Amino acid sequence: MSNMHATMHGLFISFEGIDGAGKSTHIAALAEAFRAQGRAVTLSREPGGTPLAEKLRALFLNDAMDPLTEALLIFAARRDHLVSVIAPALRRGDVVLCDRFTDATFAYQGAGRGFDMKLLATLEQWVQADEGLLGDPAGNQPMKPEVETVIEPHLTLWFDLPAEEAALRLAGARVPDRFEAQPVEFFRRVAQGYADRQRGHPERFARIDASQPRDAVWQAVRQLCVAKGWLA
Ligand code: TYD
């Protein structure tokens, strides 16, 4: 039943973790695994995923700004991404694999920067209100839901790695952006932010021990999708 449901509606999976936790290779591998089973996969990322949101990404990652501007900018990018890419893909029945989503905002802007979590939760409600974006299960026609719901991932894979280890992995890897240039204490707070987010959403939020060897991490990723009935 849940499998049927997933096939009809598409699947939305997000990937989270502090910079350096190593999610990228597993996103590509999971896309391959779904495609091998005949599923259409939409790969995307935040901030970004649309021409407008990619422009906002460049500002967000490189320009200094006040915390509220930062929060509004990331949610503006998310709105465009949701309306023009994620919701249409889910209506088509695609598997949407998204490198970061709203949990990153709670972890980075909320826990990392200390921005008001209540305001972030309000923005989340506004920006991710379904309002018929996902359409009607039978006809795939947009419809007004009876209960206001918020669009969020069906599953969030959280690559958990101690901040010190992530810093070692990142050292010398590339020119750091505004976030990657933060001190290790910042990433400790971000990691704690993800842990708090998991406690608030235990049913969709899966922790993966990213300090394991790469193949063990991949097996954990795969196994979580097998357990859901999404992969054979
Ligand atoms: P990242 O996925 O690390 O991109 P790349 O692998 O190309 O560096 O994301 C970019 C940065 O944006 C990362 O440091 C986290 C930050 N970020 C936020 O601060 N808030 C958010 O809501 C999102 C989605 C990302």
Side-chain angles (χ1 to χ4, degrees), residues 2 16 50 60 72 91 110 121 131 156 193:
S2 69
E16 297 283 359
T50 71
F60 181 82
L72 292 172
R91 288 199 303 268
E131 290 169 342
T156 296

Side-chain angles (χ1 to χ4, degrees), residues 56-68:
L56 296 176
R57 174 188 175 94
L59 300 173
F60 181 82
L61 292 184
N62 301 309
D63 292 26
M65 60 189 78
D66 97 281
L68 179 56

Side-chain angles (χ1 to χ4, degrees), residues 4-98:
M4 268 300 287
H5 184 84
T7 306
M8 288 166 67
H9 282 279
L11 274 178
F12 182 13
I13 304 176
S14 65
F15 298 76
E16 297 283 359
I18 59 175
D19 292 273
K23 51 194 162 50
S24 309
T25 55
H26 302 296
I27 299 175
L30 196 56
E32 256 333 290
F34 275 112
R35 284 184 181 126
Q37 300 201 355
R39 296 288 307 248
V41 175
T42 292
L43 274 176
S44 203
R45 67 167 180 184
E46 289 211 346
T50 71
L52 173 61
E54 290 290 331
K55 287 185 200 164
L56 296 176
R57 174 188 175 94
L59 300 173
F60 181 82
L61 292 184
N62 301 309
D63 292 26
M65 60 189 78
D66 97 281
L68 179 56
T69 307
E70 186 172 306
L72 292 172
L73 209 54
I74 192 75
F75 272 109
R78 180 160 300 135
R79 178 69 189 174
D80 189 52
H81 188 209
L82 190 61
V83 169
S84 6
V85 171
I86 297 176
L90 292 174
R91 288 199 303 268
R92 286 195 303 270
D94 282 15
V95 177
V96 176
L97 303 182
C98 194

Side-chain angles (χ1 to χ4, degrees), residues 25-220:
T25 55
H26 302 296
I27 299 175
L30 196 56
E32 256 333 290
F34 275 112
R35 284 184 181 126
Q37 300 201 355
R39 296 288 307 248
V41 175
T42 292
L43 274 176
S44 203
R45 67 167 180 184
E46 289 211 346
T50 71
L52 173 61
E54 290 290 331
K55 287 185 200 164
L56 296 176
R57 174 188 175 94
L59 300 173
F60 181 82
L61 292 184
N62 301 309
D63 292 26
M65 60 189 78
D66 97 281
L68 179 56
T69 307
E70 186 172 306
L72 292 172
L73 209 54
I74 192 75
F75 272 109
R78 180 160 300 135
R79 178 69 189 174
D80 189 52
H81 188 209
L82 190 61
V83 169
S84 6
V85 171
I86 297 176
L90 292 174
R91 288 199 303 268
R92 286 195 303 270
D94 282 15
V95 177
V96 176
L97 303 182
C98 194
D99 188 346
R100 300 189 183 285
F101 196 63
T102 307
D103 298 306
T105 310
F106 282 88
Y108 279 78
Q109 279 63 51
R113 293 258 201 249
F115 191 76
D116 183 7
M117 298 275 193
K118 279 213 211 89
L119 185 44
L120 294 181
T122 300
L123 290 170
E124 179 186 32
Q125 295 287 321
W126 282 359
V127 166
Q128 292 162 236
D130 185 337
E131 290 169 342
L133 277 178
L134 292 187
D136 158 47
N140 282 349
Q141 294 302 315
M143 65 170 196
K144 187 87 185 143
E146 280 167 30
V147 185
E148 283 302 319
T149 51
V150 163
I151 299 173
E152 57 176 21
H154 298 104
L155 176 66
T156 296
L157 300 172
W158 168 36
F159 293 73
D160 188 24
L161 188 70
E164 293 73 15
E165 233 179 287
L168 283 178
R169 288 188 188 180
L170 276 184
R174 57 186 166 190
V175 180
D177 63 37
R178 219 155 59 82
F179 293 95
E180 290 163 351
Q182 293 288 320
V184 74
E185 301 80 65
F186 175 81
F187 289 105
R188 271 194 219 112
R189 292 198 298 276
V190 174
Q192 185 56 49
Y194 279 123
D196 293 343
R197 220 32 206 163
Q198 184 195 29
R199 221 169 319 108
H201 302 79
E203 68 296 334
R204 78 163 161 91
F205 218 109
R207 177 184 172 275
I208 291 167
D209 176 0
S211 67
Q212 303 174 92
R214 183 176 291 187
D215 190 57
V217 174
W218 164 243
Q219 288 310 325

